[in-house]
Amino acid sequence: MDILEVKALNKVYAGKVATQALTDIHLTIRKGEFVGIMGPSGSGKTTLLNMVSTIDRPSSGEVKIGGANPYSMKKRELAHFRRRQLGFVFQDFNLLDTLTVAENIVLPLTLDRRPLKQIDSLLEQTASKLNITGILNKRVYEISGGQRQRTAIARAIIGSPVLLLADEPTGALDSNSSRAVMESLVDINEKDGTTLMLVTHDPMAASYCNRIVFIKDGKLAAEIHRGDNRQAFFQKIIDTLSFWGGNTSELSSIRV
Amino acid sequence: MSFPQFAFNNVRRNARAYIAYLLSSAFMVMIFFTYAVFIYHPRIAESEMGNMTRTGMSIATVIVYVFAFFFVLYSISVFLKSRNREFGILTILGAESRQINLLILLENMLIGTVAIVTGIAGGLLLSKLFLLISTKVIDMEELPFYWPVKAILLTTGAFVLLFLFISIFTLLFIRKSQVLELLKGSSKPKKEPRANVFTAMLGILLLTIGYLALHAKKLDEIGLLIAAVSGIAGTYFFYSQLSVWLTRRLQRSRHIAWKGANLLWTSEMSYKLKDNARMLFLVTVVVALACMSTGFVLAYEKQIRDVYRDDPFAVKYSSYRDSDPQLVQKEINYIKERFEQAGLAYSFIDLKMMSTSGYSNTIMLISQTDYNHVASALHIELIDSLAPSEAVLVQTDTAVQKYPAADTMELQVEESVRQLSYTYRENDIATLTYSGPLLVIPDSLFAQYAEDYDGHIEYNNVFVIPETGKLPTKDDPETRLAIELTNWIRDGQHEGYLQARAENYYTNKQSFSLFSFIGVFIAMIFSVSSASFLYFKLHTELAADATMYRSLSKIGLGSREMNISATIQIAMLFYIPILVASLQSLVVLGPVMEVMNSTEAVYRPVLAASAIYLAVQTVYFLIVRARYIKKVNQTMV
Ligand SMILES: Nc1ncnc2c1ncn2[C@@H]1O[C@H](COP(=O)(O)OP(=O)(O)OP(=O)(O)O)[C@@H](O)[C@H]1O
Ligand SMILES: [Mg+2]
C-alpha cells in the first residue's frame, strides 16, 4: 500500500527573484519503508518535506498521504490530520521548556482528549522504547541534546502516525547521540512498521534507510537502495554524493 | 567599528525594543505627572477637605509612583532580557564588563531623559484635555489652567531617582548572571516560587491587620495608612502564595491538566507564575483604587441626590416661637410673591406640629387635618378617620428603625401619659421632621395638647411644586428661586428659618464636584494604565509565544486549541484583579464612608463601580485578545 504519493510537485517561492525550489517531483513511499532524502545545501530537501508535512502549500501538483489530500482540508481538519496521521521530528527539537519530558510527549494525546489511562500506558511503552523512562520527570533544559531528540521522537510516535517525518534529526547531535537516535528510528520502523521519511546531510544517518532519494536543484537526481550490507550501502551513498556534487568536506568526518 | 559606533548601531537596529521601552516609560511619566498636576492644583489645595481625603490622595500618589516603578522595572527587565544574547556574545567576544555596564547606564539615562521630557509634555496636553472634557461632563466651574511648577519638579525628581535606581539595579542583576545564562537568554525558566506556610501565614496576618485597622475603632488617618500598607502587602502574598498553590494543584491533578489544551495553559501559567503573580498584584492594587474612588464618588453623589429626591417640599419655612405672627405673615407673603414671580405653580400649606418624647425616640405630633392637607398636595393616601385613641405613625422608607404594622404605644407629653393604638405607614411626609417619626393624632387630641402645652408648638409652612422628576440644574426656576430665598433669609434679621431643597442639593453638589472630578480622574488613569500594563506584557511575550504556537501547530495544534489556551490566560490576567479589587473595595469603603458621615449603603456603588470597570476592561480584553490571537494565528502553519 502506498502511504505517500507525490505527483508532479512544483514549488515556486515568490519574491523579487522568484525561486523555483522544486520542479516536477514524483515520489511514492510504500507502507513500512524508511526513505532518506539527500542533496546539497539549498537543493530543496526541506521544501519537499514541508510540502509533505502540510506545513507549506505546493504551487502545483498533488500530495496524498494515506490516500487523503491534506490540502483540500479545512484548517481544523488539517490540525486533526497532523495530530493523528503524521509525526514530526525537527533538527532543533521544538520541545516546550514549560513542560516536563513526560508532558511534552503526551501533549498530542491530550490535545486529542484521550483518556488518562490510555495516555499513561502509551507513555510507558513509548518511553521504554526510546530508553528515556528515567528522565520523564525532568525539565527540557535539564537533559542532553540526544535525550531531547529522543523525547521529540517519542512525542512524534506516541500517536502511532502512519508517516513519520524527520528533518535532519541528527543535525545538532554528536556521533554517539546520532547513532542512538538513528537506532531508535530503525527500531520504530522495523518493530512498529511505521513509515519514515528522513531528510539528512549525514551519510552515516542516511545509511540506516532502506532507500535514498537524491535531489539536486529541486529535481530528483538519483535513487539508491540498500542491500543487506550497511557498509556497502554507506560506500554507495558517498559515491553518489560525490558524483552529484554533494559537499565533499562533509565526507571528511566519516564515521560508521 | 568602534564601541560607541557599535552602541549607536545597536540602538538603531534594536529600534523596536527601544521604542517599546521608551513609550512605556514615557507613558508612566505622563500618568504620574497628570495626576500631580491635579493634586497640586491651587483650587484643590485651598479647598476645604478632611484629613481623610487628604490621606487618601497621598496614598493614591504613592500607589501611582509604586505602580510606575514596577511598570518601568518590568519594561526594562523585558528589554534587557530580549538583549541577553547580545550581552552574552559581547562578553564572549571580549567586551569588558565595564564597557557593557557603561552601555546599559548610558542607554538607560538617555531613555529616561527622553521619557521624562516627552512624558511631561504629553501630561500637559492630557491634563488640559481632561479639564476640558470633565468640566463639560461634570456640572462644575472650570478649573483654571495653571503653570504646574511643583508637579514638574516632583515628577522630574521622582523619575530621575527611579531611572537611576533601576539602572543600578539592572547592573547588579546583569553582573550576577553567567555568560552561559545570558547566551541562553530567556529559555531557562525562573526559579519556581514555593508555596510556603510561613509566607502564607504572613499574608493572612497582614490582611487581618488591614481589616482590623479599618474596623476596630473609629477610623482615622493613621488607621487608613496602616490598612493601606498592610492590605497592599497582604495582597501581594495572597497572589504569590495562592497562585503557586493553585497551579501546583492543577498540574498535579492530571485528570484536569492532561486534557485538551489544559496542559498548555497550566504549564504556561506555572512557567510565568512569578511574573503573573506580580502582574495580578499590581493590577489589583490599581483596579481596587479605581473602584474605590469611583465607588466613593457614586455613593456620595447618590446620597446628595437622595436627600433631594426624598424631600417633597420645595421650600420649608418655620417661624421662631417668639416671632410676631404679623411679621411672620409678611415674610410668608414675600415668599409666595417670589414663587409667583418665578412662574412656579405651588401649593402652600401651613401646619402646626408639636415636639414630644414618646415611644422610644422623639416623635413629632401632627393633627389629622394638617396631615391630610399635606397628603392631598403630595397625592399621598389620606387618613380617613381616627377614633380618639387611635393614631398613625409615619416614617420615611429609609428610616433605620422599623415598627410593626399595628401596635399600641404610650404617648408622653411632659407628665401626661396616654395609651394609643396605632397603625404604621411609610411616606415622605415624614421629612417634615428632622429625625424620628411623625405621629398623626385626631384633631381633638391635638387641639387639647396645643392648649395644654403651647410652648411645644412649631409653626411650619411648606411650599409644594409639581414634581418634574428631574434633578435641579443651575438654571432651573426652582434652583434660582431656592438660591435667591436662601440668600434672602441669610441676610439680616428674619422671623423664621428657611430650607430650600434645590439650594441644598446644588451647594452640596458644587462642593463635592471637585472630588468627583479627582475620583473619576484617578479611576480613568488607573483603568488605562492597568490595561496598558497588561497589553505591554502580552506584547512582549508575543514573539516567544508565537514561536511556541508555531512549532506546536506543526505537530497538530489547531487554532481552536491555541485560542482556548490564550484566551484563558489573558482572561485570568484581566478578570481576576477585578474580582479581588471589588471585594477589597467593599471592605474598605464601608468604614471610610462611615467616617465621612455617610449613611449610604456601600455595596451598591461599589458594585456599580466594579460593573463599569468590568465593562471597560472587557473592551480592553476583547481588543488585546483579538490582536494577540490574530498575530499568533498568522504564524501558525
Ligand atoms: N521561504 C522561502 N522563501 C524563498 N525562498 C526560499 C524559502 N525557503 C527556501 N527557499 C529557497 O528554496 C531553495 C531550497 O531551499 P531548502 O530550504 O528546501 O533547501 P535544503 O535542501 O533544505 O538546504 P539545506 O540542506 O541547507 O537545509 C533554496 O534556494 C532556498 O533559498
Ligand atoms: Mg534544510
Side-chain angles (χ1 to χ4, degrees), chain B residues 498-516:
Chain B
L498 179 142
Q499 256 205 323
R501 58 175 185 179
E503 189 272 342
N504 198 9
Y505 171 82
Y506 190 72
T507 314
N508 278 335
K509 194 164 164 47
Q510 274 301 314
S511 58
F512 185 63
S513 62
L514 205 57
F515 296 106
S516 5

mmCIF file of all heavy atoms in Angstrom, chain B residues 498-516:
data_model
loop_
_atom_site.group_PDB
_atom_site.id
_atom_site.type_symbol
_atom_site.label_atom_id
_atom_site.label_comp_id
_atom_site.label_asym_id
_atom_site.label_seq_id
_atom_site.Cartn_x
_atom_site.Cartn_y
_atom_site.Cartn_z
ATOM 1 N N LEU B 498 -35.467 79.060 56.888
ATOM 2 C CA LEU B 498 -35.996 78.568 55.625
ATOM 3 C C LEU B 498 -35.058 77.511 55.070
ATOM 4 O O LEU B 498 -33.848 77.580 55.203
ATOM 5 C CB LEU B 498 -36.109 79.745 54.658
ATOM 6 C CG LEU B 498 -36.634 79.462 53.252
ATOM 7 C CD1 LEU B 498 -37.513 80.613 52.811
ATOM 8 C CD2 LEU B 498 -35.492 79.309 52.266
ATOM 9 N N GLN B 499 -35.677 76.499 54.462
ATOM 10 C CA GLN B 499 -34.893 75.446 53.841
ATOM 11 C C GLN B 499 -35.405 75.234 52.446
ATOM 12 O O GLN B 499 -36.610 75.080 52.250
ATOM 13 C CB GLN B 499 -35.089 74.161 54.624
ATOM 14 C CG GLN B 499 -33.929 73.801 55.494
ATOM 15 C CD GLN B 499 -33.929 72.333 55.732
ATOM 16 O OE1 GLN B 499 -35.000 71.749 55.865
ATOM 17 N NE2 GLN B 499 -32.774 71.745 55.780
ATOM 18 N N ALA B 500 -34.491 75.267 51.469
ATOM 19 C CA ALA B 500 -34.903 75.025 50.091
ATOM 20 C C ALA B 500 -34.089 73.857 49.568
ATOM 21 O O ALA B 500 -32.867 73.910 49.552
ATOM 22 C CB ALA B 500 -34.664 76.270 49.246
ATOM 23 N N ARG B 501 -34.770 72.782 49.171
ATOM 24 C CA ARG B 501 -34.047 71.544 48.841
ATOM 25 C C ARG B 501 -33.142 71.712 47.623
ATOM 26 O O ARG B 501 -32.064 71.135 47.562
ATOM 27 C CB ARG B 501 -35.039 70.412 48.590
ATOM 28 C CG ARG B 501 -36.022 70.731 47.475
ATOM 29 C CD ARG B 501 -36.919 69.580 47.129
ATOM 30 N NE ARG B 501 -37.726 69.973 45.968
ATOM 31 C CZ ARG B 501 -38.612 69.227 45.366
ATOM 32 N NH1 ARG B 501 -38.830 68.008 45.839
ATOM 33 N NH2 ARG B 501 -39.282 69.650 44.345
ATOM 34 N N ALA B 502 -33.583 72.553 46.661
ATOM 35 C CA ALA B 502 -32.773 72.676 45.452
ATOM 36 C C ALA B 502 -31.453 73.379 45.762
ATOM 37 O O ALA B 502 -30.402 73.016 45.236
ATOM 38 C CB ALA B 502 -33.531 73.433 44.375
ATOM 39 N N GLU B 503 -31.525 74.367 46.672
ATOM 40 C CA GLU B 503 -30.305 75.083 47.041
ATOM 41 C C GLU B 503 -29.357 74.137 47.753
ATOM 42 O O GLU B 503 -28.154 74.111 47.492
ATOM 43 C CB GLU B 503 -30.669 76.272 47.939
ATOM 44 C CG GLU B 503 -29.517 77.214 48.225
ATOM 45 C CD GLU B 503 -28.692 76.810 49.432
ATOM 46 O OE1 GLU B 503 -29.180 76.006 50.270
ATOM 47 O OE2 GLU B 503 -27.549 77.277 49.539
ATOM 48 N N ASN B 504 -29.939 73.339 48.632
ATOM 49 C CA ASN B 504 -29.172 72.359 49.397
ATOM 50 C C ASN B 504 -28.434 71.398 48.456
ATOM 51 O O ASN B 504 -27.227 71.171 48.559
ATOM 52 C CB ASN B 504 -30.169 71.583 50.259
ATOM 53 C CG ASN B 504 -29.479 70.863 51.385
ATOM 54 O OD1 ASN B 504 -28.303 71.091 51.603
ATOM 55 N ND2 ASN B 504 -30.208 69.996 52.060
ATOM 56 N N TYR B 505 -29.214 70.897 47.502
ATOM 57 C CA TYR B 505 -28.655 69.952 46.526
ATOM 58 C C TYR B 505 -27.543 70.595 45.719
ATOM 59 O O TYR B 505 -26.455 70.051 45.567
ATOM 60 C CB TYR B 505 -29.768 69.477 45.593
ATOM 61 C CG TYR B 505 -29.275 68.665 44.429
ATOM 62 C CD1 TYR B 505 -29.001 67.304 44.588
ATOM 63 C CD2 TYR B 505 -29.080 69.240 43.184
ATOM 64 C CE1 TYR B 505 -28.535 66.558 43.535
ATOM 65 C CE2 TYR B 505 -28.616 68.497 42.128
ATOM 66 C CZ TYR B 505 -28.344 67.153 42.297
ATOM 67 O OH TYR B 505 -27.877 66.408 41.260
ATOM 68 N N TYR B 506 -27.839 71.788 45.233
ATOM 69 C CA TYR B 506 -26.893 72.426 44.328
ATOM 70 C C TYR B 506 -25.584 72.761 45.038
ATOM 71 O O TYR B 506 -24.501 72.542 44.506
ATOM 72 C CB TYR B 506 -27.528 73.684 43.740
ATOM 73 C CG TYR B 506 -26.702 74.259 42.635
ATOM 74 C CD1 TYR B 506 -26.639 73.606 41.405
ATOM 75 C CD2 TYR B 506 -25.943 75.405 42.827
ATOM 76 C CE1 TYR B 506 -25.849 74.100 40.388
ATOM 77 C CE2 TYR B 506 -25.151 75.893 41.818
ATOM 78 C CZ TYR B 506 -25.108 75.247 40.597
ATOM 79 O OH TYR B 506 -24.322 75.730 39.595
ATOM 80 N N THR B 507 -25.703 73.258 46.278
ATOM 81 C CA THR B 507 -24.490 73.616 47.017
ATOM 82 C C THR B 507 -23.646 72.382 47.313
ATOM 83 O O THR B 507 -22.429 72.375 47.115
ATOM 84 C CB THR B 507 -24.873 74.297 48.343
ATOM 85 O OG1 THR B 507 -25.868 75.266 48.066
ATOM 86 C CG2 THR B 507 -23.684 74.943 48.980
ATOM 87 N N ASN B 508 -24.329 71.311 47.772
ATOM 88 C CA ASN B 508 -23.586 70.080 48.059
ATOM 89 C C ASN B 508 -22.875 69.561 46.825
ATOM 90 O O ASN B 508 -21.731 69.138 46.873
ATOM 91 C CB ASN B 508 -24.538 68.991 48.552
ATOM 92 C CG ASN B 508 -24.823 69.156 50.024
ATOM 93 O OD1 ASN B 508 -24.016 69.743 50.742
ATOM 94 N ND2 ASN B 508 -25.970 68.677 50.467
ATOM 95 N N LYS B 509 -23.618 69.613 45.736
ATOM 96 C CA LYS B 509 -23.054 69.050 44.508
ATOM 97 C C LYS B 509 -21.839 69.850 44.058
ATOM 98 O O LYS B 509 -20.824 69.300 43.662
ATOM 99 C CB LYS B 509 -24.123 69.049 43.416
ATOM 100 C CG LYS B 509 -23.723 68.180 42.265
ATOM 101 C CD LYS B 509 -24.906 67.875 41.396
ATOM 102 C CE LYS B 509 -24.480 67.369 40.098
ATOM 103 N NZ LYS B 509 -23.731 66.582 39.555
ATOM 104 N N GLN B 510 -21.955 71.178 44.190
ATOM 105 C CA GLN B 510 -20.832 72.016 43.798
ATOM 106 C C GLN B 510 -19.601 71.708 44.636
ATOM 107 O O GLN B 510 -18.511 71.551 44.115
ATOM 108 C CB GLN B 510 -21.195 73.495 43.947
ATOM 109 C CG GLN B 510 -21.893 74.054 42.749
ATOM 110 C CD GLN B 510 -21.051 73.933 41.494
ATOM 111 O OE1 GLN B 510 -19.875 74.242 41.497
ATOM 112 N NE2 GLN B 510 -21.643 73.440 40.422
ATOM 113 N N SER B 511 -19.804 71.630 45.956
ATOM 114 C CA SER B 511 -18.624 71.441 46.791
ATOM 115 C C SER B 511 -18.065 70.037 46.622
ATOM 116 O O SER B 511 -16.896 69.796 46.856
ATOM 117 C CB SER B 511 -18.943 71.724 48.259
ATOM 118 O OG SER B 511 -19.977 70.874 48.671
ATOM 119 N N PHE B 512 -18.898 69.124 46.175
ATOM 120 C CA PHE B 512 -18.384 67.765 46.013
ATOM 121 C C PHE B 512 -17.784 67.534 44.629
ATOM 122 O O PHE B 512 -17.009 66.615 44.429
ATOM 123 C CB PHE B 512 -19.498 66.749 46.261
ATOM 124 C CG PHE B 512 -19.010 65.340 46.220
ATOM 125 C CD1 PHE B 512 -18.085 64.888 47.147
ATOM 126 C CD2 PHE B 512 -19.435 64.475 45.231
ATOM 127 C CE1 PHE B 512 -17.607 63.604 47.089
ATOM 128 C CE2 PHE B 512 -18.963 63.183 45.170
ATOM 129 C CZ PHE B 512 -18.048 62.747 46.106
ATOM 130 N N SER B 513 -18.138 68.399 43.682
ATOM 131 C CA SER B 513 -17.765 68.099 42.294
ATOM 132 C C SER B 513 -16.258 68.003 42.107
ATOM 133 O O SER B 513 -15.773 67.222 41.299
ATOM 134 C CB SER B 513 -18.343 69.153 41.358
ATOM 135 O OG SER B 513 -17.782 70.397 41.688
ATOM 136 N N LEU B 514 -15.511 68.755 42.899
ATOM 137 C CA LEU B 514 -14.063 68.693 42.821
ATOM 138 C C LEU B 514 -13.591 67.279 43.112
ATOM 139 O O LEU B 514 -12.703 66.735 42.444
ATOM 140 C CB LEU B 514 -13.485 69.656 43.850
ATOM 141 C CG LEU B 514 -12.094 70.172 43.566
ATOM 142 C CD1 LEU B 514 -12.056 70.851 42.226
ATOM 143 C CD2 LEU B 514 -11.685 71.117 44.665
ATOM 144 N N PHE B 515 -14.229 66.680 44.118
ATOM 145 C CA PHE B 515 -13.797 65.337 44.484
ATOM 146 C C PHE B 515 -14.266 64.303 43.478
ATOM 147 O O PHE B 515 -13.556 63.346 43.195
ATOM 148 C CB PHE B 515 -14.265 64.996 45.901
ATOM 149 C CG PHE B 515 -13.629 65.885 46.904
ATOM 150 C CD1 PHE B 515 -14.354 66.883 47.515
ATOM 151 C CD2 PHE B 515 -12.285 65.767 47.179
ATOM 152 C CE1 PHE B 515 -13.754 67.741 48.394
ATOM 153 C CE2 PHE B 515 -11.671 66.626 48.066
ATOM 154 C CZ PHE B 515 -12.405 67.611 48.684
ATOM 155 N N SER B 516 -15.463 64.529 42.937
ATOM 156 C CA SER B 516 -15.863 63.578 41.898
ATOM 157 C C SER B 516 -14.896 63.675 40.739
ATOM 158 O O SER B 516 -14.518 62.682 40.139
ATOM 159 C CB SER B 516 -17.277 63.782 41.376
ATOM 160 O OG SER B 516 -17.870 64.874 41.895
#
